[in-house]
Amino acid sequence: MGVTGTGTLEVPRSALADTVLERLVATYGAAADPERAVSMRAYMKDVAPFLGLTTPVRRALTRTVLQGTPRPDEADCTAIALRCWQLPEREYRYFAVDYLRRHVGRCSSGFLPVARHLVATVSWWDTVDALAAHVVGALVAADPELKADMDVWSADDDLWVARTALLHQLRYKERTDTERLFAYCLRQSGHTDFFIRKAIGWCLREYAKTDPEAVRDFLAREQGRFAPLSVREALKNIGA
């Protein structure tokens, strides 16, 4: 368990990113609360420094930052995300994640390597989980050929990349590729890290809202392979 880092990606030129980043740094920076930042950093296990912006404050500031800006294309999304990831304070990454969630439909399957970089760089659940469910999941849903990439990610040595593969179908409901969901869970069933074990339980629990019997049957067949945490989480809302 811990923070991971990867190499850098080339940031494309983007006039929109220039505008957004200039506004963002000025607006967020002016509202920083150093005292609150200390407690936020401690709560997030010292993963990164914080500005000390609460979620409601940050979202209100974001509306100011983005007021009057045009819809981005994929290069703009890439530039904004990568440039936010280069800034040390965590709130800039929250801004990028929210921006990508809003505009992921403007991105092609070619954005997946950028998403992987974001997942695997200074990683923690606060950014990874939203990227998994709302960005990577949306990209795969739009281009089923990316399922092959998820197959690779599901066995990745980077636990955050593997967690992303487990969680990318969280919002799929009846569109869930059940065979892959169960296969990914089995593939990581022996993992000793809390975040993988928790993710297994979470993705099964979420799918159980759509097909509880499938999840019960799967765990009845394979329960001995999973950590108690995973099983407990998976069955939380449906019982044994």
Side-chain angles (χ1 to χ4, degrees), residues 26 35 129:
E35 184 174 346
D129 294 357

Side-chain angles (χ1 to χ4, degrees), residues 2-221:
V3 176
T4 60
T6 63
T8 58
L9 293 180
E10 182 178 355
V11 180
R13 298 183 65 177
S14 164
L16 177 57
D18 291 341
T19 298
V20 169
L21 267 292
E22 181 179 2
R23 291 183 182 181
L24 178 64
V25 172
T27 303
Y28 274 25
D33 182 339
E35 184 174 346
R36 187 183 297 275
V38 172
S39 61
M40 292 175 72
R41 182 169 185 165
Y43 175 75
M44 295 304 297
K45 306 298 185 184
D46 202 31
V47 66
F50 280 77
L51 293 167
L53 305 178
T54 64
T55 298
V57 168
R58 177 172 54 81
R59 288 178 175 165
L61 294 173
T62 293
R63 289 192 290 271
T64 299
V65 170
L66 295 178
Q67 187 173 7
T69 58
R71 295 176 69 190
D73 60 21
E74 185 171 325
D76 297 323
C77 289
T78 299
I80 288 169
L82 292 179
R83 288 176 64 175
C84 284
W85 242 249
Q86 292 172 351
L87 297 171
E89 290 83 11
R90 202 68 173 174
E91 287 91 341
Y92 295 120
R93 299 184 183 206
Y94 297 161
F95 172 89
V97 171
D98 288 347
Y99 194 82
L100 293 177
R101 287 177 62 169
R102 181 178 178 182
H103 296 295
V104 66
R106 308 283 290 174
C107 298
S108 71
S109 56
F111 190 79
L112 189 65
V114 179
R116 191 191 192 285
H117 173 83
L118 303 179
V119 164
T121 305
V122 193
S123 313
W124 201 242
W125 62 264
D126 56 338
T127 54
V128 169
D129 294 357
L131 289 167
H134 297 281
V135 179
V136 175
L139 292 171
V140 178
D143 182 0
E145 290 189 5
L146 294 182
K147 291 180 180 181
D149 294 89
M150 294 299 99
D151 293 346
V152 175
W153 288 28
S154 71
D156 202 280
D157 289 338
D158 186 322
L159 73 90
W160 299 106
V161 175
R163 180 175 167 99
T164 297
L166 285 164
L167 298 180
H168 84 277
Q169 296 192 83
L170 275 183
R171 302 175 70 237
Y172 282 19
K173 299 182 180 179
E174 69 280 352
R175 296 180 295 116
T176 299
D177 185 330
T178 312
E179 182 178 350
R180 276 188 162 84
L181 173 67
F182 291 165
Y184 293 0
C185 291
L186 288 172
R187 187 168 296 153
Q188 291 294 346
S189 61
H191 206 294
T192 59
D193 190 273
F194 167 85
F195 285 102
I196 292 294
R197 292 180 171 186
K198 187 81 168 182
I200 290 170
W202 185 9
C203 64
L204 291 175
R205 184 177 77 243
E206 195 63 26
Y207 184 58
K209 296 176 183 178
T210 298
D211 192 343
E213 289 305 316
V215 173
R216 284 196 191 97
D217 291 346
F218 171 66
L219 288 175
R221 293 193 309 270

Side-chain angles (χ1 to χ4, degrees), residues 222-234:
E222 308 289 355
Q223 184 168 353
R225 298 180 60 175
F226 292 105
L229 169 64
S230 299
V231 176
R232 187 168 61 251
E233 287 293 319

